[in-house]
Amino acid sequence: MQGLIDHARTFADREAIVSNGQIFTYGELLERSGSVAAALLVGREDLGEARVAFIVPPSFEYVYCQWGIWQAGGVAVPLCVDHPLPSLRYVLDDTAAEVLIVHEAYEALLDETVKELGIRLLPLGEIPDKAPNAPLPNLAPAGRAQLQLRNAQILYTSGTTSLPKGVVTTHANIENQIKTLVDAWEWSADDRILNILPLHHVHGIINVLSCALWSGARCEFLPRFDAKTVWEKMASGEITRFMAVPTIYYKLISYWEQQPKSEQARLSAGARQLNLMISGSAALPVPTLERWRAITGHTLLERYGMTEIGMGLSNSYRGERRPGHVGLPLPGVEMRLADAENNTIREANVPGEIQIKGDSVFKEYWQKPEATAKAFTEDGWFLTGDVAELNDGLYRILGRDSVDIIKSGGYKISALEIEAVLLRHELVDECAVVGLPDEEWGEIIAAAIVSSGTPDTGELTAWLRERIPAYRLPRRWLQLAEIPSNTLGKVTKNELKKLF
Ligand code: MLC
Ligand code: AMP
C-alpha cells in the first residue's frame, strides 16, 4: 500500500520489526521489499494488479514480501500458513495468481499445485538481499484519486455461501482503514506491539502490523500464540500495546490462574505498564473483561470490525469503555441500523442490522459481481449481517442474522462450507453444522450426521483435517436418524442446537 511505504521513508533508521530474535529497521524493510519488487517485475514496468500470492510465516520476511508486491504494482494475496493443500489451492486458483512467493517450509507442499496451475514459483530464498536500483512503478500516474480504484489486497472470508469469497481492497481503502485507527487509538512512534495473530486476516494485518508501521512504531512477531511467551513479553516492559481475540484473553487468564501468587504479581505488574489493550473479532464476554481488569488493571477496549469494512465501531481510547458494548462509529465510518426493509432505525433499544458506508469499505468480492451487488443496498450501504442496538448512547451487538455463520477463536466459519465437504464422505448421507456457545472459543463447531453406516468420528475428523483448516473442524458430533427440519424441508438449526 503506497501510503505506508511513503511514510516509512521518513522513519528509515527507526526499528520496524522484531522477528526470530533480530531487529530490522524501516530502511532495511524498504531495501528488502525493493528486492522483492525487482524479482517480481523482471523487466516489466508495473505488475498491473497481477495477483501475487505469498506463503510466509509471520516475520520480517512476510512484511517485505507484502510491501514488495505493492511496490511492484501487484495485489497481495497472503496465504494462511496452517491451511491444508485444498484450501491453499482454492485461493491460488480463484485469484488466478500469477506468482507464488514461497517460504522453503511450504515448497514441497505446493510444488505440484503451482505447476498444474501454471503459476510462477518464486522461492523466498532466491530473492537477493539487495537489488540494483530498479525503477518502481508509479501506482497513480493520474493522481492520488487513482489509488481509490487500484487493487492492493485480496483476503478470503467465509460467509453464507459454501465457498469463501475474496474481499478486494484498494490502496485507498487500506490507507483509510489504517488512518482511522491510528488517530482513534492514538498510536505513536514510541509504541511497541506484539503480533500473535495470523497474517491472512485484517485483525493481524491492519490493526496490528500496518497501524504500527504507519506510525513509525515497532512490531514484534511471535510465530504463533503461546500464553507463557505473551505474558513474559508483557512482563519484560518491551511492549506498550496488545491486541487479540477474546479466546486469547481467556487463555491468558487461564495461564495466569495456574501460576503461584508471586508469579501472578510479577506478571500483573508487567501488564499494567502497557498503554492499551484491545479485544475484537468476536464478542468479548463480560466475565472475561472483568477478570482481565482484575488481573491487569486494564479495561479492554472492545471494537467491532469485518474483513469487508476494516474497523467500524470502537469504544473510546480516553473516554468510556462500557462492558458488552462496541462503542460508536469510528471517524470516517458512516453507520446505521436498519430494519428488514432497509429503513433506518432512529430509536434507541430497537435491534437492527449494522450497515456501513465509507472510504474504508472494500471494493468488491473478487470476480463475484452478483455477490457484491447483493452485499450492498441500492444506495450503497454495506450489509454486515450483524444485529445491534443503541443502548444508552453506545452500540451493543446482539448477534448475527444467519445461523450459518460461526465465530470460533475469532475465525469466521461457514457452516455450509463444512457441510459441503462432509457430504463428500462416503459414510455421510446427510449433515448439518451449527455453532454452540462456548466460554473459551465463543462458539464451537458441532456436526450432526445421518448415516446408514457406523462412522467413527475420529476417522471423520482425520479425513476432514486433510481438506479444511483445523480451526474449522467440528469438535462435537451427533449421529441422528434424521436432521430436524420444517415443513418446507429446511433444516431447523436452532432445534438442532438443542439436541446437542
Ligand atoms: C483450535 N482448537 C480448537 C479451535 N481451534 N478447539 C475448538 N475450537 C476451535 N476453534 C484446538 C486444537 O484442535 C488443539 O487441540 C488446541 O485447540 C490448540 O490448537 P492451536 O491451533 O494450537 O490453537 P491455538 O494456537 O491456541 O489457537 C487459538 C487462537 C487461534 C485463538 C490463537 O484460534 C487464533 O489465532 N485466532 C485468531 C483468529 C483471527 O485472527 N481472527 C481475526 C479475523 S478478522 P488439541 O486437542 O489438538 O490440543 C475479523 C475482523 C475483526 O474477525 O473484527 O477483527
Ligand atoms: P470476519 O469476516 O472474519 O472479518 O469477521 C467479522 C465478524 O466478526 C463480524 O461480522 C462480527 O460478526 C464479528 N465481530 C467482530 N468484532 C466483534 C465484536 N466486538 N463483537 C461481536 N462480534 C464481532
Side-chain angles (χ1 to χ4, degrees):
M1 204 272 306
Q2 193 57 38
L4 199 50
I5 292 154
D6 292 344
H7 244 228
R9 299 210 165 92
T10 63
F11 303 124
D13 296 328
R14 291 189 65 86
E15 293 176 358
I17 303 286
V18 182
S19 87
N20 301 318
Q22 274 182 284
I23 299 176
F24 302 92
T25 63
Y26 282 88
E28 287 171 293
L29 192 48
L30 287 167
E31 185 166 62
R32 295 298 292 265
S33 57
S35 299
V36 171
L40 289 170
L41 285 164
V42 274
R44 274 153 84 183
E45 275 178 22
D46 186 333
L47 290 186
E49 298 180 53
R51 274 75 57 212
V52 180
F54 61 117
I55 182 157
V56 181
S59 58
F60 176 55
E61 287 79 6
Y62 175 100
V63 190
Y64 70 63
C65 286
Q66 182 196 45
W67 284 28
I69 296 166
W70 284 334
Q71 282 178 289
V75 175
V77 182
L79 298 181
C80 175
V81 289
D82 292 327
H83 277 189
L85 187 57
S87 308
L88 299 172
R89 187 188 170 104
Y90 174 75
V91 174
L92 290 170
D93 195 22
D94 192 59
T95 53
E98 184 180 299
V99 186
L100 170 68
I101 305 178
V102 65
H103 182 278
E104 60 179 359
Y106 307 93
E107 246 180 278
L109 175 71
L110 285 156
D111 194 43
E112 270 305 302
T113 303
V114 291
K115 278 189 198 129
E116 274 169 40
L117 296 174
I119 296 171
R120 177 184 160 210
L121 190 73
L122 179 56
L124 188 63
E126 287 179 16
I127 302 172
D129 291 357
K130 276 192 172 74
N133 268 342
L136 292 172
N138 176 357
L139 301 188
R144 283 188 62 78
Q146 238 181 318
L147 296 175
Q148 253 141 28
L149 296 174
R150 190 158 176 146
N151 297 347
Q153 183 162 261
I154 304 182
L155 301 179
Y156 276 76
T157 188
S158 296
T160 47
T161 47
S162 59
L163 290 171
K165 298 190 285 281
V167 176
V168 180
T169 41
T170 65
H171 286 264
N173 290 151
I174 296 179
E175 182 163 325
N176 283 301
Q177 290 180 3
I178 298 170
K179 273 166 46 184
T180 191
L181 298 184
V182 166
D183 291 347
W185 298 340
E186 301 189 22
W187 274 90
S188 102
D190 293 327
D191 276 314
R192 298 180 301 277
I193 195 160
L194 186 65
N195 191 346
I196 36 90
L197 293 168
L199 289 181
H200 63 294
H201 282 304
V202 290
H203 198 161
I205 299 174
I206 302 291
N207 298 22
V208 182
L209 174 63
S210 304
C211 282
L213 297 184
W214 181 274
S215 310
R218 191 176 97 165
C219 180
E220 173 163 3
F221 289 109
L222 281 188
R224 59 183 313 116
F225 170 69
D226 168 64
K228 180 174 172 26
T229 319
V230 171
W231 269 116
E232 286 306 334
K233 281 287 163 200
M234 287 187 200
S236 71
E238 285 169 27
I239 59 171
T240 62
R241 29 186 68 192
F242 185 69
M243 299 184 194
V245 301
T247 303
I248 289 180
Y249 287 106
Y250 182 97
K251 286 172 179 285
L252 289 172
I253 291 168
S254 303
Y255 176 86
W256 184 92
E257 283 175 341
Q258 288 160 22
Q259 304 310 305
K261 284 259 169 312
S262 60
E263 187 62 359
Q264 288 181 341
R266 181 180 73 87
L267 298 177
S268 293
R272 268 172 213 279
Q273 301 170 51
L274 274 68
N275 65 31
L276 179 61
M277 289 187 171
I278 297 185
S279 172
S281 302
L284 174 65
V286 174
T288 306
L289 177 144
E290 285 171 346
R291 193 76 193 108
W292 190 255
R293 182 156 56 192
I295 292 173
T296 66
H298 283 273
T299 302
L300 288 170
L301 185 157
E302 184 171 6
R303 68 7 170 231
Y304 159 86
M306 196 172 179
T307 307
E308 287 89 334
I309 64 165
M311 295 304 109
L313 295 125
S314 171
N315 272 293
S316 163
Y317 178 63
R318 291 194 179 266
E320 185 186 7
R321 298 181 192 169
R322 196 187 303 161
H325 291 68
V326 290
L328 291 169
L330 282 153
V333 174
E334 224 186 310
M335 177 258 182
R336 71 171 187 181
L337 294 183
D339 65 17
E341 278 77 46
N342 287 326
N343 300 308
T344 306
I345 296 170
R346 299 187 194 282
E347 305 82 32
N349 303 108
V350 179
E353 183 188 26
I354 300 179
Q355 301 188 348
I356 302 276
K357 272 187 191 177
D359 295 335
S360 299
V361 176
F362 78 125
K363 180 173 154 191
E364 61 190 357
Y365 292 116
W366 176 246
Q367 294 194 327
K368 291 196 168 39
E370 278 178 26
T372 307
K374 264 177 66 182
F376 289 88
T377 62
E378 276 172 11
D379 51 349
W381 290 97
F382 172 67
L383 309 169
T384 64
D386 290 306
V387 179
E389 66 177 17
L390 184 63
N391 187 346
D392 201 10
L394 297 179
Y395 287 95
R396 193 158 77 95
I397 310 251
L398 302 170
R400 278 180 305 270
D401 64 4
S402 167
V403 278
D404 288 322
I405 292 177
I406 301 168
K407 264 269 161 169
S408 188
Y411 282 112
K412 187 173 178 187
I413 294 155
S414 165
L416 304 179
E417 199 178 317
I418 302 168
E419 290 164 6
V421 178
L422 260 180
L423 282 174
R424 302 206 314 252
H425 192 280
E426 55 183 8
L427 288 177
V428 177
D429 301 331
E430 285 176 58
C431 68
V433 169
V434 291
L436 304 177
D438 184 82
E439 229 190 324
E440 178 170 8
W441 297 97
E443 288 178 289
I444 53 165
I445 303 169
I449 51 171
V450 175
S451 172
S452 44
T454 45
D456 175 278
T457 54
E459 279 170 21
L460 268 181
T461 305
W463 182 87
L464 272 179
R465 196 182 280 280
E466 287 172 16
R467 291 164 176 82
I468 61 173
Y471 56 81
R472 293 183 200 160
L473 292 173
R475 311 284 158 173
R476 303 265 307 271
W477 293 89
L478 205 55
Q479 189 171 347
L480 298 174
E482 57 182 336
I483 307 276
S485 58
N486 63 18
T487 47
L488 299 171
K490 192 172 160 26
V491 174
T492 45
K493 291 206 166 176
N494 288 328
E495 291 306 312
L496 179 59
K497 285 185 190 187
K498 289 182 201 154
L499 297 182
F500 279 96

